[in-house]
Amino acid sequence: MGISDMFYGRGAKARERRAAKIRAKYTDFPQMTPELLEVLAQSADVPSKEQVTLHLEAVPPGATPRRVLHGFKLSEATFYAGVLFDDGLSIRWGAYQRVRDKEMKVQGAELPFWGMQKVEIFSHEGDDGILVSGSDGTNNYRIGCLGFDPQDVKAFAEATETARRAYAQRAQQAPAQRPTSEDSAQMTVTIDSTLPPEQQLAALEQMRAVGAVPDAVYHATAARIRESAG
């Protein structure tokens, strides 16, 4: 085992000790569940309470996280958390605006696989992380998330690519499972009405592209969105 392996605690015993410490420290953390704690216990470092807060913020109710990435940018005093799901990534970052602040200003983004184009890893001035680029249907994006251990960052990026390929395969198989004409007649689609009309239409178009929405339902729903937009 090399020096870097020892420093980052990559050995089996070190990982077991770290997981036990995380479980003991955060079992009673507000909004923590056993499922979320087990994913958290696989972290490459014992996360701070700020990173755990971001981790919980990044997981929607009922969602199942597969992997987590935590980091901290010292020069900007900014905490990071990235969470991998079967259908995309959720990234959060936050910082205290003033020394005496008790709550961070949190920002973030949901990055579904249907709009994701590339996942890269980077190392710059001591910071290691991933850089995700793609489109939300309206705007292009490039969003990063820092990690602690460069090896863990690489593994997280690889896991993201594997999940993205699996998602694409499911999408390709979806047309073979299209609804029958009878099902289509009774089918309705609900798009988040808080989104701007152009983003609602982009989401609807993606649903049709993967075979989840028949053409007739697509056109009816698109007409409804355009009508509501005036």
Side-chain angles (χ1 to χ4, degrees):
M1 180 179 294
I3 295 177
S4 61
D5 293 328
M6 295 178 63
F7 175 79
Y8 288 112
R10 295 169 179 164
K13 291 184 178 180
R15 292 197 302 269
E16 289 175 4
R17 288 194 297 268
R18 182 167 59 245
K21 186 174 182 179
I22 292 172
R23 293 186 187 101
K25 186 174 183 179
Y26 292 115
T27 295
D28 298 323
F29 198 83
Q31 300 181 17
M32 184 63 71
T33 67
E35 293 77 17
L36 295 178
L37 184 61
E38 281 310 301
V39 175
L40 192 66
Q42 306 309 314
S43 300
D45 189 26
V46 177
S48 65
K49 64 180 181 63
E50 289 85 0
Q51 290 167 329
V52 174
T53 298
L54 294 175
H55 170 75
L56 295 175
E57 176 81 17
V59 181
T64 303
R66 301 302 183 188
R67 194 179 181 110
V68 66
L69 182 70
H70 293 129
F72 177 69
K73 188 172 183 61
L74 182 61
S75 62
E76 299 177 2
T78 301
F79 301 88
Y80 288 84
V83 185
L84 173 63
F85 302 93
D86 288 337
D87 58 357
L89 287 177
S90 183
I91 295 178
R92 295 290 185 276
W93 58 95
Y96 296 103
Q97 301 301 292
R98 293 179 296 272
V99 175
R100 295 184 179 181
D101 283 354
K102 294 183 178 180
E103 294 187 2
M104 294 185 295
K105 179 181 179 180
V106 176
Q107 301 179 72
E110 311 301 327
L111 309 176
F113 286 142
W114 60 259
M116 193 179 297
Q117 298 169 355
K118 185 185 296 185
V119 180
E120 305 168 271
I121 58 176
F122 68 87
S123 181
H124 179 65
E125 297 181 349
D127 293 327
D128 296 279
I130 62 169
L131 183 62
V132 184
S133 56
S135 172
D136 63 5
T138 303
N139 301 302
N140 295 329
Y141 62 77
R142 282 170 64 85
I143 297 177
C145 181
L146 297 185
F148 170 69
D149 177 358
Q151 193 174 97
D152 184 60
V153 169
K154 180 180 179 181
F156 187 89
E158 291 174 347
T160 300
E161 283 292 357
T162 298
R164 191 161 74 105
R165 286 194 296 270
Y167 175 87
Q169 289 177 349
R170 292 195 299 272
Q172 290 175 355
Q173 294 169 359
Q177 303 170 6
R178 291 180 184 274
T180 64
S181 57
E182 292 183 2
D183 294 334
S184 299
Q186 302 176 4
M187 184 178 180
T188 60
V189 176
T190 301
I191 304 293
D192 186 353
S193 61
T194 63
L195 294 173
E198 61 272 16
Q199 292 190 22
Q200 294 184 50
L201 290 170
L204 181 64
E205 176 62 38
Q206 181 61 31
M207 293 172 69
R208 180 173 72 163
V210 301
V213 177
D215 288 342
V217 177
Y218 165 82
H219 290 299
T221 305
R224 188 177 73 243
I225 292 173
R226 294 189 181 97
E227 182 180 351
S228 63

